[in-house]
Amino acid sequence: MTEGRRALVVGGGDVSTRRVRALLEGRAVVILVSPDATPELAERAAAGQIAWRRGRWRESDLEGIDLVLAAVDQRDVSVAICEASRARRIPVHVADDPPLCDFYFAATLRDGPIQVAISTGGAGPALAGRLRDRIRSALPPGAGRAVERFGRLRAAVREAMPRDDQSKARMRWLTAYGRGAEWSDLEALDDDRIAALAREAARASAEQGLA
Amino acid sequence: MTEGRRALVVGGGDVSTRRVRALLEGRAVVILVSPDATPELAERAAAGQIAWRRGRWRESDLEGIDLVLAAVDQRDVSVAICEASRARRIPVHVADDPPLCDFYFAATLRDGPIQVAISTGGAGPALAGRLRDRIRSALPPGAGRAVERFGRLRAAVREAMPRDDQSKARMRWLTAYGRGAEWSDLEALDDDRIAALAREAARASAEQGLA
């Protein structure tokens, strides 16, 4: 959910470096405010991947910002950032200080279009990482590709049944198919088979008088 | 991340009813705009759980809103809602129309403070639900309680090592402990044991000259 969102990162240390990495992965627009920065952050700024205003945080840094991440070593500064952000209804996260957080970073894993986020509600990243490892092992092999193919099928069914009054019939067919299919069969769907299935969906729904 | 956020829901049908249920679970503030509503939505409005403006969507509904969910049957209305929201940088989701979505609803599961969100990037809810069932089985028994106890430990360690310059030492100790402990041991931590562990953490860090 950070794609295209403007994230203000206050502080240029190791924690901020990890946050910036995650934000860039999530395709956020990153603005760093800090008097100094780790070599990685300085390089990213030099390469134009992030904007870096060298200096201490000030309230005007919040203008046009969609979320705020603070990782500074002085608690009074953290509190000021948190209060100013909340006053503007901008979600804020202060590192290592759950009461000053409106959201927490989740441990995440990806497989193609599948994204799993594991949050422990601020209890700390160590356990979230262990849960992630368990969850990774629980996903069916090829799940990412299977979901990608199913997304193509969904788009094809939409094309085959495009009318507003067909939306319920589309959803009903897709849900039934998605629940019943084997993961390995979904993974094996090629474009021809997807086109054939979409035609079948439209015909079956019409015959049942659903659309 | 919806806690306390103002969510505008446009449309009063079955999809909106499910969305509102999820938003209220996430403790969002829900504003419904629709000429009509399902009995469940009407009851929630009557009970004061949500605000309901009876009428068609208009652009001024977006004022003060943090996220927008549209589930209406006319695509031209969906497109108008999406465009107006994006112009104001408000994240928007249009049901069953991935190109009009800035975010997707994830299948979620909870166990105490643990929250897992499974997104399929708009490929559809059927597969997300199947993945959720697998993930639920992969979590260790008592994981929710274990994480809750670990959160208490984290707070106790913070109290035992409160200074700004101890934050690295805190994190180091907690990460090592969190990685090494058995789930069943974490689950069994009582408040006395937590207090003893926090003292031990402060002593060990001081002895190692870490803080």
Side-chain angles (χ1 to χ4, degrees), chain B:
Chain B
M1 192 157 163
T2 57
E3 187 167 345
R5 317 287 293 158
R6 295 172 61 86
L8 177 71
V9 176
V10 187
D14 291 336
V15 174
S16 292
T17 305
R18 289 196 299 274
R19 296 308 190 209
V20 166
R21 226 178 277 152
L23 286 165
L24 289 176
E25 240 175 63
R27 282 176 283 191
V29 176
V30 177
I31 299 101
L32 173 70
V33 170
S34 176
D36 36 44
T38 60
E40 179 178 331
L41 287 174
E43 266 169 46
R44 289 190 190 278
Q49 296 172 6
I50 63 174
W52 177 16
R53 188 175 75 66
R54 284 174 207 236
R56 307 203 164 275
W57 175 80
R58 52 192 185 212
E59 196 162 340
S60 58
D61 289 324
L62 296 177
E63 271 160 36
I65 291 297
D66 298 310
L67 69 162
V68 175
L69 293 78
V72 295
D73 266 345
Q74 301 119 287
R75 193 155 197 280
D76 54 339
V77 177
S78 297
V79 169
I81 294 170
C82 176
E83 285 176 356
S85 301
R86 287 182 174 166
R88 290 170 181 243
R89 310 190 53 79
I90 307 172
V92 59
H93 176 97
V94 174
D96 196 33
D97 208 334
L100 300 186
C101 292
D102 294 330
F103 61 94
Y104 300 110
F105 286 87
T108 58
L109 70 91
R110 284 187 190 223
D111 179 1
I114 302 174
Q115 291 182 52
V116 182
I118 304 111
S119 167
T120 54
L127 297 188
R130 288 175 68 179
L131 292 172
R132 172 175 51 196
D133 294 342
R134 279 181 174 251
I135 289 171
R136 187 181 282 122
S137 319
L139 296 183
R145 161 101 183 156
V147 167
E148 185 270 322
R149 294 280 89 195
F150 191 75
R152 288 290 290 267
L153 176 61
R154 184 182 189 181
V157 169
R158 194 184 177 89
E159 267 176 55
M161 307 166 71
R163 297 196 318 270
D164 283 348
D165 65 357
Q166 291 174 310
S167 86
K168 280 203 176 65
R170 280 199 303 267
M171 277 198 234
R172 196 173 293 126
W173 188 90
L174 279 165
T175 302
Y177 187 83
R179 284 195 182 141
E182 297 289 335
W183 288 102
S184 52
D185 291 344
L186 290 172
E187 200 191 341
L189 286 177
D190 62 21
D191 291 348
D192 288 344
R193 177 81 184 121
I194 283 172
L197 278 172
R199 284 192 300 272
E200 199 180 303
R203 199 176 47 239
S205 298
E207 277 172 13
Q208 291 164 43
L210 290 174

Side-chain angles (χ1 to χ4, degrees), chain A residues 28-202:
Chain A
V29 176
V30 177
I31 299 103
L32 174 70
V33 170
S34 177
D36 35 44
T38 60
E40 179 178 331
L41 287 174
E43 266 169 47
R44 288 189 189 278
Q49 295 172 7
I50 63 173
W52 178 16
R53 187 176 75 66
R54 283 173 207 237
R56 307 203 164 276
W57 175 80
R58 52 192 186 214
E59 195 161 340
S60 58
D61 289 323
L62 297 176
E63 272 161 35
I65 291 297
D66 298 309
L67 70 164
V68 176
L69 293 77
V72 295
D73 266 345
Q74 302 120 286
R75 191 152 198 282
D76 53 338
V77 177
S78 298
V79 170
I81 294 170
C82 176
E83 286 177 356
S85 302
R86 285 182 175 165
R88 291 171 181 243
R89 309 189 54 77
I90 306 172
V92 60
H93 175 97
V94 175
D96 198 31
D97 208 335
L100 300 187
C101 293
D102 295 330
F103 60 94
Y104 300 109
F105 287 87
T108 58
L109 70 90
R110 286 186 188 225
D111 179 1
I114 301 174
Q115 291 183 54
V116 182
I118 304 112
S119 168
T120 54
L127 298 188
R130 288 175 66 178
L131 292 173
R132 173 176 50 196
D133 294 341
R134 279 180 174 253
I135 288 171
R136 188 181 282 122
S137 319
L139 297 184
R145 160 100 183 157
V147 167
E148 184 270 323
R149 293 281 89 195
F150 191 75
R152 289 290 292 268
L153 176 60
R154 185 181 188 182
V157 168
R158 194 182 180 92
E159 266 176 54
M161 306 166 71
R163 296 196 319 270
D164 283 346
D165 65 358
Q166 290 174 310
S167 85
K168 280 202 173 67
R170 279 198 305 265
M171 278 197 233
R172 195 175 293 126
W173 188 89
L174 278 166
T175 302
Y177 187 81
R179 285 196 182 140
E182 296 289 338
W183 288 101
S184 53
D185 290 344
L186 290 172
E187 200 190 341
L189 286 177
D190 61 21
D191 291 349
D192 288 345
R193 176 81 183 121
I194 284 173
L197 278 171
R199 284 193 300 272
E200 198 180 304

